[in-house]
Amino acid sequence: MPELMDVAVGDLHFALRVWPARDQERTPTVLLHGTGKTARDWDVIAAGLAAERPVYAVDLRGHGGSAWPGRYRVGLFADDVVGILERLDTGAVDLVGHSLGGLVACAVAAARPGRVRRLVLEDIGFPHPRAPGLPARPAGPLPFDWRVVEQVRPEIDDPDPGWAGTVARVTAPTLLIAGGAASPVAHEHVTELARRLPDARLTTIEAGHLVHETAPDAYLAALTAFLAD
């Protein structure tokens, strides 16, 4: 079972699930979930990784046990994660992000290259404009602040043109894991992101957008091979 940790960054607090490893000298892995998910989303993958390395799964702002400040943008999520890495003080980490967490991880790796040894981006493509639209809010209580969707979805629908420069500044070797034909993410955008990153490789697991949830064994095999390379 993971340990629970609370980390303060500025006036916000962040909830983390932590899996200590016997070998504390190995590079830690930090896991960032997608919109509407929480750190628990990574429990199966984290347990598989923790046999060899420390693992930290983060509740992003507005999700799970972390603060719900009501202000949400990719840049704010990235600033939070940079602050968390500084508080953990573990040195460089291997940073893994799914969907929204992948965009955040990419921004962190570009802003703080010395903090990221290796980068893994699960089923994200290079951002392109798309038709705007908000999904309907599900009924009942949610494990996250719905304002995340209301504020971040428009930002993703009409992305900042500065993403080209952000991607170009990523120096860490990067693995892109695409979800294949069943994913709503356009495969040509994933391959474009791979081309634009300075040091990237791409693998496809035919599992849809939730690759780590739908095909955990294949996902873990690709992830551990890349981190050990």
Side-chain angles (χ1 to χ4, degrees), residues 12-24:
L12 301 181
H13 72 90
F14 295 89
L16 280 67
R17 293 168 72 79
V18 182
W19 288 258
R22 287 188 295 273
D23 185 357
Q24 293 294 319

Side-chain angles (χ1 to χ4, degrees), residues 113-130:
R115 289 280 180 184
V116 180
R117 186 189 76 103
R118 295 213 160 195
L119 178 65
V120 180
L121 306 176
E122 179 186 343
D123 210 42
I124 68 167
F126 186 79
H128 283 272
R130 63 187 186 184

Side-chain angles (χ1 to χ4, degrees), residues 72-225:
Y72 306 105
R73 290 189 65 82
V74 172
L76 292 175
F77 290 122
D79 290 344
D80 296 338
V81 173
V82 169
I84 291 168
L85 296 181
E86 290 174 349
R87 299 300 183 276
L88 293 177
D89 195 27
T90 60
V93 303
D94 295 327
L95 189 58
V96 180
H98 169 240
S99 196
L100 171 63
L103 293 175
V104 174
C106 193
V108 171
R112 295 290 189 276
R115 289 280 180 184
V116 180
R117 186 189 76 103
R118 295 213 160 195
L119 178 65
V120 180
L121 306 176
E122 179 186 343
D123 210 42
I124 68 167
F126 186 79
H128 283 272
R130 63 187 186 184
L134 291 176
R137 184 195 186 282
L142 300 173
F144 74 108
D145 187 346
W146 185 250
R147 289 175 290 183
V148 173
V149 175
E150 295 174 336
Q151 296 176 29
V152 175
R153 178 65 180 265
E155 182 184 8
I156 293 174
D157 289 343
D158 185 19
D160 187 332
W163 270 107
T166 297
V167 169
R169 290 194 298 275
V170 174
T171 59
T174 304
L175 172 66
L176 281 80
I177 301 177
S183 171
V185 179
H187 193 70
E188 60 266 29
H189 295 168
V190 182
T191 58
E192 179 185 355
L193 180 58
R195 289 196 307 269
R196 286 177 176 267
L197 285 160
D199 182 1
R201 64 201 73 178
L202 169 63
T203 187
T204 299
I205 299 173
E206 293 289 345
H209 188 51
L210 300 174
V211 185
H212 68 278
E213 179 180 312
T214 306
D217 292 342
Y219 185 92
L220 193 58
L223 181 59
T224 53

Side-chain angles (χ1 to χ4, degrees), residues 5-6 13-16 38-39 59-68 143:
M5 176 185 291
D6 196 77
H13 72 90
F14 295 89
L16 280 67
T38 69
D59 277 344
L60 297 173
R61 70 162 60 200
H63 293 77
S66 291
W68 294 21

